[in-house]
Amino acid sequence: MSIAGGLAGSLRRRGRTVADAMRSDIASVVERDPAARSSVEVALLYPGVHAVWSHRLSHAMWQRGAYLPARALSQVTRFWTNIEIHPAATLGPRLFIDHGAGVVIGETAVVGSDVTIYHGVTLGGTSLEHHKRHPTIGDRVTVGAGAKVLGNVTVGADSRIGANAVLVRSVDQHSVVVGVPGQVIAHGTAPVEDTRPKQDSASAPDPMAQAVSMLMTRVQELESQVLGHEHHHIHGPQRTASGEWELEMDAVDFSI
């Protein structure tokens, strides 16, 4: 009786732990998704939540050496949710995969707590060696739609990866990353207490545009020195009051 009673108690405790984790997942989605109208809706109709729950089971199976069943479960989940998470990946609590379509999380990826991942995100590898080859994502990171984080890199806590960015190097905490390849355009100085994802500003600077603007400015300076101010004014690129560059159409050869 004592053995049976101990086993029953262990199962009850494990059941309470799983139930608490599931409630925490649902609450985090309701907190971070304005479209979520109720906990019941999230539990029944959010594929990102279902994928995370399924992964917890497949991950437990993987850790116990049941590799084939774990992979089979992950593939069934991929079929139903369009989210592929390798059973060996490590996911922290309250991960929110919003929309979820096309999300891929590789075998050695590590994802922290309170992370938000949008659709089309890949946490992928760049090596075929059997070692840590996928990203480590810190706590409270937001990874925008279509972003790719590749290789054994670390994204510091409280960072934001912009939509469609391709990040192939590690970044510090509180970083804001945009572009291809990903460039850090801002750093924070204090932890983010609000775990809800922050939307990228439409006015965020484009590092490529900044680089082109600097080159155009330098070209203008050099042409002024070599050709003289009057000739440059007629044929060279001009900067408008709004900061944009424009060319005189009669000075452009479109024959090619």
Side-chain angles (χ1 to χ4, degrees):
M1 292 294 294
S2 61
I3 296 178
L7 180 58
S10 176
L11 291 174
R12 284 195 297 270
R13 287 192 297 272
R14 181 171 297 181
R16 285 195 296 269
T17 300
V18 171
D20 290 343
M22 294 175 71
R23 281 192 290 268
S24 179
D25 291 331
I26 293 172
S28 71
V29 174
V30 172
E31 175 188 355
R32 285 182 267 176
D33 185 7
R37 301 183 185 279
S38 69
S39 297
V40 174
E41 177 188 6
V42 171
L44 295 178
L45 302 176
Y46 273 57
V49 173
H50 302 157
V52 170
W53 289 349
S54 175
H55 174 267
R56 289 199 182 126
L57 178 56
S58 66
H59 184 66
M61 296 165 64
W62 186 273
Q63 289 182 315
R64 287 163 175 77
Y67 302 127
L68 184 59
R71 287 286 286 175
L73 177 57
S74 71
Q75 291 303 299
V76 170
T77 304
R78 174 178 177 267
F79 175 79
W80 287 107
T81 65
N82 199 21
I83 298 170
E84 182 170 355
I85 308 174
H86 194 284
T90 302
L91 305 185
R94 298 176 300 281
L95 168 64
F96 176 29
I97 303 178
D98 197 5
H99 303 294
V103 168
V104 177
I105 300 178
E107 178 186 10
T108 62
V110 178
V111 179
S113 61
D114 296 298
V115 171
T116 300
I117 295 176
Y118 286 95
H119 53 282
V121 166
T122 297
L123 305 183
T126 57
S127 170
L128 299 179
E129 302 296 330
H130 293 284
H131 55 65
K132 180 75 166 71
R133 62 188 187 279
H134 295 92
T136 297
I137 308 297
D139 297 340
R140 299 173 300 279
V141 169
T142 298
V143 187
K148 309 294 185 285
V149 186
L150 306 176
N152 183 18
V153 301
T154 299
V155 178
D158 301 296
S159 295
R160 288 181 283 158
I161 311 301
N164 295 315
V166 178
L167 183 62
V168 293
R169 64 183 180 88
S170 297
V171 296
D172 296 332
Q173 298 180 3
H174 315 296
S175 298
V176 178
V177 180
V178 300
V180 182
Q183 302 292 325
V184 177
I185 62 169
H187 286 284
T189 57
V192 178
E193 297 180 358
D194 187 353
T195 61
R196 290 176 296 180
K198 307 296 188 298
Q199 297 298 322
D200 294 329
S201 171
S203 61
D206 182 347
M208 294 300 294
Q210 289 179 329
V212 170
S213 179
M214 292 175 62
L215 288 173
M216 294 292 287
T217 300
R218 184 57 179 161
V219 168
Q220 187 181 53
E221 293 174 352
L222 292 174
E223 286 188 348
S224 296
Q225 295 174 10
V226 174
L227 303 176
H229 177 73
E230 181 178 355
H231 187 269
H232 167 75
H233 175 75
I234 295 175
H235 297 287
Q238 300 299 311
R239 199 168 192 173
T240 65
S242 62
E244 298 179 351
W245 289 91
E246 63 178 13
L247 295 172
E248 294 185 14
M249 291 299 98
D250 59 355
V252 181
D253 184 2
F254 291 100
S255 60
I256 60 173

